[in-house]
Amino acid sequence: MDFGYLKLYIDGKLVDAHDGKRHSVICPANEEKTAEIAWAGVKDAELALAAAQKGFAYWSKLSLAERTEWMRKLRTAVLEREHDLRSAMVYEMGKTYAGAWEDIEAVINALEWYPAAMKNMRDEQIPDYENTHTHKMVHQPAGVAVAYLAWNFPLLNVGFKMGPALASGCSLIIKPSAASPMSAYLMGEILHTIDFPAGVVNILCGPSSEVAHTMTTSTIPAVLTMIGSTATGQKVIADSTTSIKKLGMELGGNAPFIVFEDADFEKALELGIALKYGNTGQVCVAANRIFVHKNIYDKFLAAYVKRASELKLGHGVDAEADMGPMVSRKDRDRMFALIKDAVAKGAILEYGGHIPEGKEKGNWLEPTVLSGVTPDMEVFRKETFGPIGSLMSFETDDEVLDLANDTEYGLASYIFTNDHKRIERFSRELQFGEIQINGVKYAIYLPHGGIKNSGIGHDCSHLALDDYLIKKRISMAI
């Protein structure tokens, strides 16, 4: 499928890159070119920053009702282009067509939910104990926001940033990943079609060393927000110190998935598969390290391998598939290296680990299961970000708690048990920003954020608005 040539969206216009450069987007399923995009450079980043400054001056002065109306108009236009947007994600990064709905849903929910959340923001009244003054804390939009987005959920990530930024009154520059820029560029086309106010949203992609560096080191942005790796987040923080900026970052994860012997076996099994192989394992909250109590370990492992072996691989808008290809050859090769390291250190390759027969072209990898994983293996230490299920047994609560926390990351965690004292203890002692017990739920109104090296701040919920708002104290003598 060929999406043709897609342009930058800067200052309300669809434009070529200043130097005329283009970049080919390659489909990870078949290695064929699926689009060309305008490939931004330093000058384009500078133009986007200037446009966003003007956009902020206009947008921040609109009433919330006026901003809400524009966001509703954009939401309607996104739904009208749903098929095009979902198809773009299928062909730019290998997502299944069914799985791409999650991205669309995130965008439309964010555009609807955040204006209402902003409406519910109230000035905070502060008592004066001497009765000499009145005091209140008020919220105002921070300024220009720059968003660096990961490739794994191209439009979900757009929604997570666009919703709170626009509702708060900030203007926004979106830099999608070079691995999956098409759907974001199509959002630029949609914004252009509905005559969205110029400069309020700008979308461009190019070399990070030019585009991201220019924007991060600029003194124009008031907010830098991103979804990506911890290493990238550290670089953005280091480069941002040309001025004091608000930072919001959702970074890497290494989620423990803990199954006790008193758990609902079928539910834990079903979610363990879904959280590992959904989106081909390319998810920051994936079940990275699966700990199963020794009394049910053999049974769980056998059932897990069986379920993994039944997953269907496929690609295309008409394909009935559970998993697509990995986003790049480099990422697939990284999976082979993790498997090799684990097996060399004593893990057992229970299933998969190879290129599927007949799918030599593209970045395909079988759903893979490793057993007997130990902390000295890279697959235990690193964020896998691929379709490798890593299983290990445990005996005591103390043991598994120590193993679960033995990571630099602290994003999501999952436990399955019906012991209320254990739930209370693990809720308190697991070192993760999210602890999900006997089930899984993510929604636009639920806070999503990590601790340790997994990030700063939150996506989703009213807490995301904090990244885009400043607070002022106003005191007046009586």
Side-chain angles (χ1 to χ4, degrees):
M1 190 169 183
D2 190 348
F3 287 80
Y5 172 55
L6 305 173
K7 295 185 177 185
L8 311 176
Y9 178 68
I10 298 176
D11 201 18
K13 304 178 183 69
L14 297 172
V15 296
D16 298 319
H18 185 261
D19 60 9
K21 286 186 178 180
R22 297 187 179 195
H23 176 76
S24 295
V25 180
I26 304 301
C27 177
N30 54 28
E31 301 176 49
E32 296 176 0
K33 187 172 78 171
T34 191
E36 278 192 332
I37 62 167
W39 193 235
V42 171
K43 182 63 176 178
D44 303 294
E46 292 172 345
L47 291 170
L49 287 165
Q53 264 190 317
K54 291 189 298 180
F56 174 71
Y58 172 79
W59 188 251
S60 61
K61 290 180 175 61
L62 293 184
S63 68
L64 178 58
E66 290 171 313
R67 297 199 298 268
T68 299
E69 190 58 35
W70 275 112
M71 292 174 75
R72 285 174 179 165
K73 191 173 183 179
L74 177 57
R75 183 182 186 275
T76 298
V78 167
L79 283 170
E80 289 172 352
R81 293 287 300 275
E82 175 200 337
H83 175 70
D84 295 338
L85 293 167
R86 290 173 75 176
S87 299
M89 288 181 279
V90 169
Y91 285 91
E92 66 185 341
M93 55 80 55
K95 194 180 286 283
T96 65
Y97 188 76
W101 169 249
E102 185 176 0
D103 286 72
I104 303 295
E105 187 175 36
V107 173
I108 61 175
N109 285 349
L111 291 171
E112 181 177 43
W113 192 84
Y114 275 103
M118 192 66 201
K119 189 175 182 179
N120 289 331
M121 295 285 285
R122 295 287 185 268
D123 294 342
E124 179 187 353
Q125 302 297 323
I126 303 173
D128 185 277
Y129 298 110
E130 291 74 35
N131 292 320
T132 61
H133 291 71
T134 61
H135 311 280
K136 64 180 178 179
M137 295 292 291
V138 300
H139 303 86
Q140 292 183 347
V144 173
V146 174
Y148 302 125
L149 304 183
W151 49 262
N152 58 333
F153 287 92
L155 289 185
L156 176 144
N157 294 337
V158 167
F160 281 4
K161 303 305 182 183
M162 186 180 282
L166 294 183
S168 71
C170 289
S171 60
L172 182 65
I173 304 173
I174 295 171
K175 181 191 176 296
S177 167
S180 60
M182 295 192 324
S183 50
Y185 273 50
L186 289 177
M187 284 291 293
E189 290 187 358
I190 293 170
L191 288 158
H192 181 259
T193 299
I194 65 172
D195 294 320
F196 205 82
V200 177
V201 179
N202 305 272
I203 301 170
L204 73 166
C205 187
S208 292
S209 59
E210 297 179 25
V211 175
H213 182 75
T214 298
M215 296 192 295
T216 302
T217 57
S218 170
T219 58
I220 290 175
V223 178
L224 295 178
T225 183
M226 69 166 286
I227 297 173
S229 70
T230 296
T232 301
Q234 289 170 326
K235 178 167 176 52
V236 169
I237 292 171
D239 289 347
S240 73
T241 55
T242 53
S243 60
I244 303 302
K245 304 173 176 78
K246 290 173 69 73
L247 300 172
M249 300 190 171
E250 194 259 43
L251 305 176
N254 192 5
F257 186 94
I258 307 169
V259 185
F260 292 91
E261 60 180 324
D262 67 336
D264 182 326
F265 186 93
E266 282 300 319
K267 179 180 283 188
L269 177 62
E270 177 186 351
L271 292 175
I273 291 290
L275 283 167
K276 179 69 264 183
Y277 301 108
N279 209 41
T280 317
Q282 300 167 132
V283 186
C284 59
V285 296
N288 222 44
R289 298 167 299 147
I290 302 171
F291 303 98
V292 184
H293 192 275
K294 68 170 190 173
N295 291 347
I296 59 169
Y297 179 75
D298 290 341
K299 179 184 176 183
F300 191 92
L301 175 61
Y304 193 90
V305 170
K306 182 176 184 297
R307 293 283 181 92
S309 70
E310 293 169 346
L311 294 172
K312 296 179 181 179
L313 276 63
H315 180 262
V317 297
D318 298 321
E320 293 184 6
D322 301 303
M323 257 179 56
M326 295 200 67
V327 70
S328 72
R329 185 61 53 87
K330 178 182 177 181
D331 284 274
R332 190 183 67 180
D333 289 347
R334 185 170 51 81
M335 295 301 104
F336 289 139
L338 290 173
I339 295 165
K340 182 179 179 180
D341 173 80
V343 171
K345 292 174 180 174
I348 297 173
L349 180 59
E350 299 280 356
Y351 182 79
H354 302 95
I355 297 170
E357 186 176 348
K359 294 188 179 297
E360 291 76 17
K361 199 172 184 180
N363 308 319
W364 295 92
L365 177 65
E366 295 172 325
T368 300
V369 183
L370 293 169
S371 66
V373 171
T374 54
D376 62 324
M377 300 173 186
E378 290 188 358
V379 77
F380 183 100
R381 291 283 158 209
K382 295 183 177 180
E383 181 180 30
T384 306
F385 230 66
I388 302 175
S390 301
L391 277 71
M392 57 211 89
S393 66
F394 70 91
E395 185 170 355
T396 69
D397 288 19
D398 288 344
E399 175 193 8
V400 74
L401 188 59
D402 287 344
L403 286 168
N405 286 334
D406 187 14
T407 175
E408 67 178 294
Y409 300 105
L411 189 53
S413 60
Y414 310 92
I415 59 173
F416 292 81
T417 181
N418 289 304
D419 185 318
H420 293 292
K421 287 186 177 180
R422 177 185 290 139
I423 289 171
E424 182 180 346
R425 180 191 178 191
F426 275 68
S427 298
R428 182 176 63 252
E429 297 186 25
L430 278 171
Q431 298 167 5
F432 298 85
E434 295 174 9
I435 299 165
Q436 306 225 29
I437 303 163
N438 295 330
V440 178
K441 185 159 188 177
Y442 290 99
I444 197 67
Y445 57 85
L446 294 174
H448 175 58
I451 59 176
K452 299 195 287 188
N453 278 348
S454 286
I456 305 168
H458 290 80
D459 285 319
C460 302
S461 83
H462 66 285
L463 296 179
L465 289 166
D466 290 341
D467 288 347
Y468 305 93
L469 295 169
I470 56 174
K471 294 182 179 181
K472 291 182 177 179
R473 175 169 68 91
I474 300 174
S475 294
M476 184 168 62
I478 297 174

